[in-house]
Amino acid sequence: MNRIAQLTCIVALSFCNFAFAADLSVAEIEQKITAKQAEYNNYNKNLESEIGAAGKLEKDLEGLRQNVTLADADRQSALIEMNLQYEKMVDNPELDITSVRTSYAKAVRTHKAIKDSIAAKYNDWQSKLQDVEKMQVSKHSLLNTIEGLKEQLNGARIDRLYQEFNRQEAVVVSHNIACDKDETINKCTERGKSLAKQKASKRFLDSLYDGLSESVEASARRQSSDVFVQVVRSEVAESNFSGQGNFNVKMNLQLQGNLKRAEGCALLGLDRRYCVGNDSKDTPVIAERPKVTTPDGSVMYELTVRSNVFDDEVFIDGVSYGSTKLQIMLPAGEHEVEVVKRGYEPNRQRINVKEPTTLKMDLTRTKYAFSKGEKIQDILAGDIPGPELVVVPAGSFRMGDITGSGLDNERPVKTKDIKQSFGISETEITVKAFEQFVKATSFVTEAEKDKGCASYAEGQAVWESNRNWRSPGFTQTDKSPVVCVSLSDAKAFVSWMSKASNQAYKLPSEAQWEYAARGGKETDFWWGEGVGTDNGNCGWCGSQWSNVGTSPVGSFERNHFGLFDTVGNVWEWTTSSAEVNNGVVRGGAWNFAPRLARVSTRMELDANFRANYIGFRVVREQ
């Protein structure tokens, strides 16, 4: 076989391997790829070895060429010496020139031997180069075989997904509903059967995704997939009404998943070329999507409903399905979807479900002002729940040392007007909420950048470089108030809150804080004049956390405006127009005496100061 024929055979072998893989399973193709990859890796090592051998031959050849030059010089020198000796013999015939003749003969033999070695080495080198060239061609062919198998693998993955998804299963489902007072028995019965089908279809669709060989990849793209569930057969096995007006139904259903091959590529994140022209292959029982314009319960699609708030309520065709984020199976056809929440304008949409659908139904605040005691919770970018807020109504109050037991910086007492209601976080910002902010922004607190965080020891603030909001020097949980944050750290948090919610968040002003903390009272504490026992977490206040560390937020009673922990736990940063370069903290802390937890107590601090007894809460204005 000549060299060209050998190369042709090598290339042909590559395509033969590709063809053999055409109808193999995913596992078989993966096994072949593994074997071929191992072969390729071994081949690569051998090729590198052969390239090294060719290089050594070339180097040896160069050395021989240098040697033959030296040998030729020795031969020429020996020849010259012998000729000189022959000239001397003319004058002296008895002269013995045997040694020079022997030297010359040896030089000639050496020169010839090296020339013969050069010829042989050159032939070996050329032969090795040809071997290397053949192996390089074979290497690329083998690589092509591997890539061909990978192409076949992707096709086999689609085949497998298609087979796994387009299967039928018998499902038994039980469902119980409460009939509405103005609902007929027939209507309640039909609604119960429809909800049972939805329930069974959702469970079946979830099981289809969970049972896929590539469940993780497919589930990650589930929202954008174009799949549906076909109710092939349904029958009521049992049904009855209870004395409380509840309808119970048990149904036997035959369900079929339906995924078109072309959609399989989208579900696995593959190029559509692996799916083009293959929709006729292995056609399932339900090959084409039925054209349904009105709900009949036979074709079910997944509907996902999202909104921009928490604790909302979703109604579909007048039936409540709970709050967002909601995922539910609906019959193909037209449906009315409504999302509502107190204090927000309802969002209603009429949709025609003919494929898996995601609805983003944002709610907007109603025109009227906040209501006293109303709860607010914004949803932040990335579906992060914001802090829970309570609404404090507009009003006026006397601010400062009303009882006469305070400090100089609490005087004089002034009347302040709060002209507009505002929302304020019902608790101090927690470790969990601050961690969400850090994850979303990669924010680094001042304590983590330099010097650490201060703690109170022997009457003074002691800095410890290893302390920060993650490690304040005592045990904390997700529900503990975040500490070791400076005023600028707190302002960074509210800035992020404003952007992430598209609402106006800020730190409370001193007036807003004291007004909210008083809860309409003029006593030193919202519950009365004395601190009492176990009413809050301050030093020597009788709680299990006193002089130990922070308590989980909300561990004590709310004040009359609905706020937790306005007495003790941690000092809270506020803003004051009078303090340009400094901040003011209010409310006392777990390791400060009860007198410093009075509602009018204020402590002025450098804006860069941070300690394991200082945190903050936030305000949202209209």
Side-chain angles (χ1 to χ4, degrees):
M1 181 183 294
N2 61 32
R3 182 172 171 230
I4 295 177
Q6 288 176 333
L7 297 182
T8 303
C9 180
I10 291 169
V11 175
L13 179 62
S14 171
F15 289 103
C16 288
N17 287 336
F18 185 91
F20 289 153
D23 294 320
L24 298 177
S25 69
V26 170
E28 289 171 328
I29 297 174
E30 288 177 335
Q31 195 172 32
K32 276 187 167 292
I33 290 175
T34 300
K36 287 294 179 184
Q37 189 64 53
E39 182 181 346
Y40 176 80
N41 294 340
N42 186 58
Y43 204 90
N44 228 12
K45 290 180 180 178
N46 291 336
L47 176 58
E48 290 176 0
S49 177
E50 290 296 282
I51 291 174
K56 185 177 185 306
L57 287 171
E58 183 179 17
K59 187 175 181 180
D60 291 345
L61 181 61
E62 182 61 30
L64 288 172
R65 285 171 173 165
Q66 292 177 359
N67 290 338
V68 80
T69 301
L70 295 174
D72 187 55
D74 289 343
R75 182 183 64 81
Q76 292 291 341
S77 177
L79 177 61
I80 292 171
E81 181 62 27
M82 187 177 66
N83 288 334
L84 289 173
Q85 294 299 321
Y86 270 114
E87 290 178 1
K88 290 181 179 180
M89 283 181 65
V90 174
D91 297 328
N92 183 9
E94 300 299 325
L95 184 64
D96 185 6
I97 62 171
T98 303
S99 61
V100 294
R101 290 177 61 187
T102 301
S103 296
Y104 174 70
K106 182 179 179 182
V108 170
R109 289 195 300 270
T110 300
H111 182 260
K112 184 178 183 304
I114 294 176
K115 287 185 67 176
D116 290 343
S117 295
I118 288 174
K121 190 70 71 175
Y122 178 81
N123 290 335
D124 290 345
W125 177 49
Q126 290 300 306
S127 177
K128 187 62 69 177
L129 287 178
Q130 289 179 0
D131 291 343
V132 168
E133 185 179 355
K134 290 177 184 179
M135 292 186 71
Q136 286 175 329
V137 174
S138 298
K139 170 188 173 180
H140 292 304
S141 298
L142 185 56
L143 184 61
N144 189 52
T145 299
I146 293 171
E147 293 305 313
L149 286 170
K150 289 179 180 178
E151 292 289 309
Q152 290 296 313
L153 175 64
N154 287 333
R157 289 171 64 198
I158 296 299
D159 291 343
R160 181 177 66 182
L161 177 72
Y162 187 74
Q163 294 295 332
E164 291 175 341
F165 207 101
N166 292 293
R167 63 180 177 85
Q168 286 193 12
E169 185 175 304
V171 177
V172 179
V173 63
S174 298
H175 195 63
N176 174 276
I177 64 168
C179 298
D180 295 338
K181 293 181 179 179
D182 56 350
E183 192 174 29
T184 65
I185 292 177
N186 183 59
K187 186 176 180 181
C188 184
T189 300
E190 290 304 313
R191 182 164 66 89
K193 290 191 292 184
S194 176
L195 291 174
K197 289 181 182 179
Q198 293 178 31
K199 182 179 180 179
S201 298
K202 180 66 167 65
R203 287 180 178 176
F204 179 58
L205 185 61
D206 288 343
S207 71
L208 286 176
Y209 276 100
D210 291 341
L212 295 175
S213 297
E214 298 187 67
S215 176
V216 175
E217 291 82 354
S219 297
R221 301 176 180 88
R222 179 172 176 171
Q223 295 299 321
S224 59
S225 66
D226 189 11
V227 301
F228 62 93
V229 172
Q230 177 77 40
V231 181
V232 179
R233 180 181 59 82
S234 67
E235 62 181 16
V236 176
E238 298 176 15
S239 66
N240 61 76
F241 284 89
S242 71
Q244 302 299 321
N246 292 337
F247 175 65
N248 305 297
V249 62
K250 180 180 180 180
M251 298 187 71
N252 298 324
L253 301 101
Q254 190 74 20
L255 303 179
Q256 161 121 21
N258 198 299
L259 169 71
K260 297 190 73 173
R261 188 177 299 276
E263 297 299 329
C265 284
L267 206 55
L268 294 184
L270 297 175
D271 193 287
R272 290 186 65 85
R273 63 192 171 87
Y274 297 110
C275 301
V276 174
N278 289 324
D279 275 327
S280 61
K281 184 177 180 181
D282 300 327
T283 304
V285 176
I286 308 298
E288 296 296 330
R289 182 179 301 119
K291 297 184 183 340
V292 181
T293 56
T294 57
D296 67 356
S298 63
V299 180
M300 311 290 285
Y301 291 106
E302 187 172 48
L303 173 69
T304 301
V305 183
R306 298 171 178 267
S307 81
N308 61 328
V309 298
F310 280 83
D311 297 326
D312 52 15
E313 188 170 9
V314 182
F315 291 87
I316 301 176
D317 300 325
V319 178
S320 174
Y321 284 86
S323 60
T324 57
K325 172 184 174 186
L326 173 73
Q327 288 180 296
I328 188 172
M329 301 298 293
L330 286 181
E334 291 190 348
H335 298 272
E336 185 174 272
V337 182
E338 182 179 26
V339 179
V340 300
K341 182 176 180 179
R342 182 175 178 270
Y344 291 81
E345 297 289 346
N347 188 335
R348 299 183 185 89
Q349 291 190 34
R350 189 79 180 172
I351 62 171
N352 185 13
V353 177
K354 52 186 178 181
E355 60 185 1
T357 304
T358 297
L359 289 180
K360 184 67 165 65
M361 302 183 67
D362 289 349
L363 302 182
T364 57
R365 292 284 305 178
T366 52
K367 302 295 183 183
Y368 62 81
F370 290 150
S371 300
K372 176 183 176 181
E374 180 183 353
K375 291 290 188 67
I376 308 168
Q377 187 177 36
D378 291 319
I379 179 172
L380 311 180
D383 284 343
I384 299 173
E388 293 185 354
L389 313 175
V390 294
V391 173
V392 175
S396 63
F397 75 109
R398 288 200 297 163
M399 180 177 177
D401 180 25
I402 298 174
T403 64
S405 58
L407 306 174
D408 290 341
N409 65 358
E410 302 172 35
R411 306 184 187 106
V413 175
K414 297 180 180 178
T415 299
K416 296 285 185 177
D417 293 321
I418 305 297
K419 297 181 179 180
Q420 195 173 42
S421 60
F422 58 92
I424 184 169
S425 54
E426 62 179 356
T427 70
E428 294 139 340
I429 296 302
T430 63
V431 170
K432 181 178 180 180
F434 198 80
E435 183 176 30
Q436 290 172 331
F437 154 62
V438 169
K439 286 182 178 179
T441 62
S442 299
F443 183 79
V444 179
T445 62
E446 292 193 38
E448 293 168 292
K449 292 177 184 176
D450 178 52
K451 199 177 179 180
C453 169
S455 61
Y456 195 74
E458 298 181 356
Q460 60 182 351
V462 178
W463 291 89
E464 295 194 40
S465 59
N466 62 337
R467 287 188 177 172
N468 53 58
W469 69 276
R470 301 177 193 272
S471 178
F474 48 78
T475 302
Q476 56 182 5
T477 68
D478 284 349
K479 291 187 66 176
S480 299
V482 68
V483 293
C484 290
V485 288
S486 67
L487 180 60
S488 61
D489 294 335
K491 287 182 176 179
F493 178 91
V494 294
S495 177
W496 167 72
M497 282 280 299
S498 297
K499 292 177 182 177
S501 66
N502 200 29
Q503 301 290 345
Y505 278 87
K506 66 169 197 171
L507 294 176
S509 67
E510 280 198 79
Q512 285 175 321
W513 189 94
E514 187 169 326
Y515 176 63
R518 284 188 176 278
K521 304 296 181 179
E522 291 195 342
T523 50
D524 281 336
F525 306 95
W526 63 263
W527 57 78
E529 291 295 346
V531 70
T533 301
D534 207 22
N535 289 319
N537 181 22
C538 50
W540 307 277
C541 284
S543 78
Q544 67 186 84
W545 300 282
S546 295
N547 294 313
V548 176
T550 58
S551 55
V553 297
S555 295
F556 302 91
E557 292 292 325
R558 300 175 183 267
N559 74 1
H560 299 300
F561 278 159
L563 275 67
F564 291 107
D565 301 315
T566 57
V567 177
N569 214 13
V570 294
W571 291 96
E572 299 172 22
W573 285 110
T574 65
T575 59
S576 173
S577 58
E579 304 295 337
V580 178
N581 297 318
N582 294 335
V584 177
V585 293
R586 306 294 298 266
W590 58 273
N591 55 348
F592 280 71
R595 184 168 181 259
L596 299 179
R598 292 177 303 102
V599 70
S600 58
T601 304
R602 53 195 303 271
M603 185 161 62
E604 302 163 15
L605 296 171
D606 185 278
N608 293 323
F609 185 78
R610 57 270 183 188
N612 65 357
Y613 47 82
I614 298 178
F616 65 100
R617 71 178 73 216
V618 298
V619 159
R620 203 199 94 178
E621 297 180 326
Q622 294 189 67

